[in-house]
Amino acid sequence: FLSPSVTLLAEYTVAHRLLLRPSATVTYSAGWYDDYHESDTTRSNVNVDSRTIQTLNPQLQLAAVYQITEWCEFELSAGGNARYMDDGTFSGNLGGSDFRGAATGDDNVYAAQVGAYLGADITEQLELYVNAQFTDATGGETQDYFMAGLQFSF
């Protein structure tokens, strides 16, 4: 599995303690899966050939940041992203008969997202944070997540 990404991020001061942070990210992901064999007592022996899956994910985001104090900030963000996938086909052999199939779902998905983030520096290297993001995409996909934690920077 390989997934490199590139992010461009800028920060603009709009007013005292108010910042705008536009960003753009592009991520490429590739997964290589070896062939494998499954067998059981019902004689449904299956051989699945190796395959490669590739995805390209561009993302744009604009965040408005309010610096509550020197060590604490609150952020609201909105953006959009896309997921472009290859055909994702696979082939194999079941009981001596070859078969071929395609992955289900949308090959290309477009999404809008909004989020909120609150971070507070405990020390110069340790941050306490709470993060929430809501995403609605084509094809009926949704993603809602909430995360809280401590982040340590080297």
Side-chain angles (χ1 to χ4, degrees):
F1 184 78
L2 177 68
S3 186
S5 67
V6 174
T7 298
L8 298 174
L9 173 71
E11 185 171 278
Y12 301 100
T13 302
V14 177
H16 180 67
R17 295 187 176 188
L18 183 61
L19 308 170
L20 285 180
R21 290 183 184 147
S23 65
T25 300
V26 176
T27 304
Y28 168 78
S29 299
W32 296 270
Y33 301 93
D34 291 334
D35 56 339
Y36 62 92
H37 175 78
E38 290 183 8
S39 61
D40 62 19
T41 58
T42 63
R43 298 180 140 180
S44 58
N45 298 334
V46 177
N47 293 314
V48 177
D49 295 337
S50 62
R51 62 187 175 128
T52 299
I53 296 177
Q54 300 179 78
T55 305
L56 184 66
N57 297 89
Q59 177 179 348
L60 295 173
Q61 178 177 294
L62 179 62
V65 181
Y66 180 70
Q67 295 177 316
I68 299 168
T69 67
E70 185 178 304
W71 50 269
C72 183
E73 67 181 30
F74 176 70
E75 172 184 299
L76 293 175
S77 63
N81 63 53
R83 181 178 67 229
Y84 302 105
M85 297 181 66
D86 64 0
D87 62 3
T89 60
F90 63 92
S91 60
N93 183 291
L94 176 60
S97 299
D98 291 336
F99 66 90
R100 185 170 187 78
T104 60
D106 294 330
D107 286 338
N108 299 324
V109 176
Y110 305 95
Q113 61 195 36
V114 294
Y117 177 88
L118 178 64
D121 294 335
I122 307 300
T123 67
E124 285 186 22
Q125 294 178 297
L126 187 63
E127 178 190 22
L128 175 64
Y129 68 90
V130 178
N131 192 12
Q133 188 173 48
F134 307 96
T135 304
D136 190 26
T138 59
E141 291 185 27
T142 60
Q143 178 183 352
D144 303 331
Y145 79 82
F146 303 92
M147 190 171 23
L150 291 170
Q151 179 173 300
F152 183 78
S153 301
F154 294 96

